[in-house]
Amino acid sequence: MSKQLWNKGFQPNDIIEAFTVGQDRELDLRLARYDVQGSIAHIKMLTSIGLLTQEELDILLPALQQIADEIERGEFVIEDGVEDVHSQVEFLLTARLGDVGKKIHSGRSRNDQVLVDLKLFFRDELKNIAHAVDRLFRRLQQLSEQHKDKLMPGYTHLQVAMPSSFGLWFGAYAEALTDDMQLVKAAYNIANQNPLGSAAGYGSSFPLDREMTTTLLGFENPHYNVVAAQMSRGKTERALAVAVAAVASTLGRFAMDVCMWMCNNFGFIKFPDELTTGSSIMPHKKNPDVFEIMRGKCNRLQAVPNELTILTANLPLGYNRDLQLMKDIVFPATTELIDCLDTADFMLQHIEVKDHILDDSRYDYIFTVEDVNRLVLEGVPFRDAYRQVGMAVQKGEYKPTREVHHTHLGSIGNPANDRVAEKMDKLMEGFN
Ligand code: ARG
């Protein structure tokens, strides 16, 4: 038995209902608490403009609060035959309170209702992402400081190039995350605007007080133009997806490095046995499956902006039901990103780093530039010093001094982690 809010006396076809509802009954559960929050703000506003009486508000508010409590306790479900979270909340209210429950939808459409739910949800989700990024950032910075003096090979073209350090390696990914955080913040700012009052996408003839709901819901400002507000469905998701993809690209690249440094031929880092995985045939294997799965997931997350772009490309102005399908793509994506970030943070608590890697003669040539520079400091012109060391290498006579003195800002001896932390602190202020 279907119970559509839009029921006009005919029974919709079951196949059509199942096809159009799709995954909403499950996905919308994540919007439930925000739907109630939005409704509370909306009915307070309706009361202020005389569309509900104070008595009606006093009946509705505790009933909505009760639904909010049920949601937090995990007791809220979207019943079979009910299309979505918006319908379920209204049905519950009407079932419990009678006619007054039917009044809350004045001046509203499910189009701005789902929009406001999504904005509130994305705000929280972006905050969760920001905090997960920040945790991984702090971990990387701590490891950078802890292993500041441990040298490792730097590669270009994946050929041994110049001395690097674990301090630089960990610290580099930390700083890369500050750039990603700019995009997280930008997506947050886009989400932090109130669409409520745009109704179906063209406003309402009621004198809705949109400033009031903006304040009640803690948005930075209204999405003023009602058509722009409706257009923000899609735009917000795409901004969020770009932020997710940016973080994923940094983390995915880090996961690749970890797999490579764990490879027996490098052997720069290890993890305790219980954090590695084995093979069903080769008894000796300790595989980096965690970081391979992470790399794969992060690669997949980088496809999300593209998926959303294609889903929403050239949609005509105003609400279109296609927009519903963005939830199927975006909801799992933010969860997956946070899971990857938390797993990386967990793994890094146990990372073991090899010392004295560069003492191995296979890295002799990594010191050529150091030796060229030392000659330059002794007064030899750079091109002559380069040739002198180059000829020694060519004749097989090069003997490295193995001395590394890098002191400038951002280099091995001075990675400036505190300055990088200042950048992150500033970005995080907006999320605290
Ligand atoms: N489930 C719908 C969505 O996510 C809710 C809005 C429905 N609006 C409509 N006009 N059919 O878009």
Side-chain angles (χ1 to χ4, degrees):
M1 174 63 189
S2 290
K3 315 191 254 182
Q4 275 77 20
L5 290 173
W6 41 270
N7 188 293
K8 288 178 283 285
F10 62 88
Q11 200 52 39
N13 180 296
D14 287 346
I15 293 172
I16 298 309
E17 203 213 324
F19 189 76
T20 52
V21 169
Q23 298 196 58
D24 261 17
R25 277 190 201 108
E26 197 192 317
L27 291 175
D28 273 13
L29 289 179
R30 297 187 72 177
L31 297 181
R33 61 151 72 157
Y34 306 105
D35 200 72
V36 172
Q37 238 173 286
S39 289
I40 289 175
H42 183 66
I43 61 171
K44 284 183 178 167
M45 184 278 291
L46 288 183
T47 309
S48 79
I49 61 168
L51 280 173
L52 286 173
T53 65
Q54 187 61 44
E55 294 69 43
E56 287 168 329
L57 182 68
D58 292 343
I59 295 167
L60 284 164
L61 279 180
L64 277 169
Q65 190 51 53
Q66 186 190 338
I67 296 174
D69 296 341
E70 288 162 7
I71 291 165
E72 295 315 315
R73 287 199 300 270
E75 292 164 12
F76 178 87
V77 288
I78 299 170
E79 293 158 46
D80 285 347
V82 176
E83 278 192 311
D84 50 32
V85 64
H86 327 294
S87 315
Q88 181 68 35
V89 171
E90 197 174 317
F91 278 126
L92 280 179
L93 277 185
T94 307
R96 290 171 186 178
L97 304 176
D99 278 356
V100 64
K102 298 182 194 161
K103 288 194 165 187
I104 68 165
H105 208 57
S106 312
R108 192 167 68 159
S109 152
R110 276 185 300 167
N111 295 354
D112 67 338
Q113 201 176 344
V114 65
L115 253 174
V116 80
D117 294 4
L118 287 168
K119 302 264 182 179
L120 294 168
F121 171 63
F122 291 151
R123 247 181 15 180
D124 273 2
E125 211 54 357
L126 284 158
K127 238 187 250 181
N128 292 335
I129 289 172
H131 284 286
V133 169
D134 189 50
R135 281 194 297 276
L136 181 61
F137 171 82
R138 309 275 156 205
R139 176 81 50 206
L140 289 163
Q141 281 226 314
Q142 172 255 313
L143 288 165
S144 171
E145 282 297 310
Q146 184 182 340
H147 301 295
K148 199 165 41 203
D149 302 323
K150 292 185 187 144
L151 297 180
M152 74 190 303
Y155 298 85
T156 66
H157 312 262
L158 207 49
Q159 303 285 313
V160 161
M162 281 184 66
S164 183
S165 68
F166 282 100
L168 279 186
W169 180 55
F170 288 120
Y173 282 96
E175 187 164 6
L177 288 175
T178 66
D179 291 339
D180 302 333
M181 192 65 101
Q182 306 260 18
L183 296 171
V184 176
K185 191 71 219 300
Y188 182 89
N189 292 341
I190 292 172
N192 196 17
Q193 306 183 80
N194 183 18
L196 204 57
S198 60
Y202 299 94
S204 164
S205 54
F206 296 126
L208 304 175
D209 185 349
R210 299 192 61 210
E211 303 280 6
M212 179 176 175
T213 53
T214 299
T215 308
L216 287 174
L217 294 168
F219 283 111
E220 185 65 30
N221 49 264
H223 233 139
Y224 293 101
N225 181 309
V226 289
V227 178
Q230 180 55 50
M231 280 166 73
S232 76
R233 184 126 188 235
K235 221 176 187 18
T236 313
E237 283 87 342
R238 286 191 299 269
L240 176 143
V242 166
V244 165
V247 176
S249 78
T250 302
L251 188 53
R253 197 168 185 187
F254 180 73
M256 172 64 214
D257 283 2
V258 169
C259 292
M260 193 156 66
W261 302 156
M262 268 177 87
C263 162
N264 316 70
N265 296 76
F266 290 90
F268 297 165
I269 56 174
K270 335 192 259 197
F271 291 89
D273 288 353
E274 66 273 21
L275 301 188
T276 62
T277 42
S279 151
S280 59
I281 178 171
M282 298 166 282
H284 64 283
K285 287 304 250 2
K286 286 173 186 164
N287 291 329
D289 293 26
V290 171
F291 289 96
E292 291 172 308
I293 296 281
M294 193 178 293
R295 183 174 59 193
K297 285 185 177 217
C298 286
N299 284 345
R300 219 166 50 179
L301 286 170
Q302 289 174 75
V304 172
N306 203 29
E307 251 186 293
L308 291 178
T309 299
I310 291 167
L311 172 59
T312 57
N314 302 335
L315 283 183
L317 196 61
Y319 178 83
N320 302 279
R321 190 74 180 264
D322 322 39
L323 295 170
Q324 172 177 304
L325 299 177
M326 281 189 298
K327 293 188 282 197
D328 303 36
I329 301 168
V330 171
F331 288 15
T334 56
T335 306
E336 189 127 297
L337 181 68
I338 292 169
D339 190 31
C340 285
L341 287 162
D342 288 347
T343 305
D345 182 43
F346 169 76
M347 292 298 284
L348 287 179
Q349 290 173 41
H350 305 280
I351 192 168
E352 295 165 32
V353 164
K354 188 171 170 191
D355 206 356
H356 304 297
I357 295 173
L358 297 192
D359 293 353
D360 191 315
S361 62
R362 85 180 86 183
Y363 302 118
D364 279 1
Y365 295 145
I366 226 161
F367 299 97
T368 57
V369 181
E370 310 304 302
D371 290 327
V372 169
N373 287 0
R374 217 167 13 79
L375 290 172
V376 167
L377 289 174
E378 287 164 11
V380 183
F382 176 80
R383 199 40 71 203
D384 294 343
Y386 173 95
R387 196 173 158 75
Q388 194 177 317
V389 174
M391 290 313 289
V393 170
Q394 200 59 26
K395 292 185 200 143
E397 293 164 0
Y398 172 72
K399 292 269 173 300
T401 50
R402 295 206 136 70
E403 275 168 35
V404 178
H405 293 293
H406 293 201
T407 55
H408 70 75
L409 191 63
S411 66
I412 296 174
N414 183 13
N417 284 329
D418 48 348
R419 305 274 281 269
V420 175
E422 280 170 25
K423 288 202 287 183
M424 193 56 127
D425 291 346
K426 216 158 137 202
L427 285 160
M428 283 306 289
E429 269 167 27
F431 293 108
N432 292 326

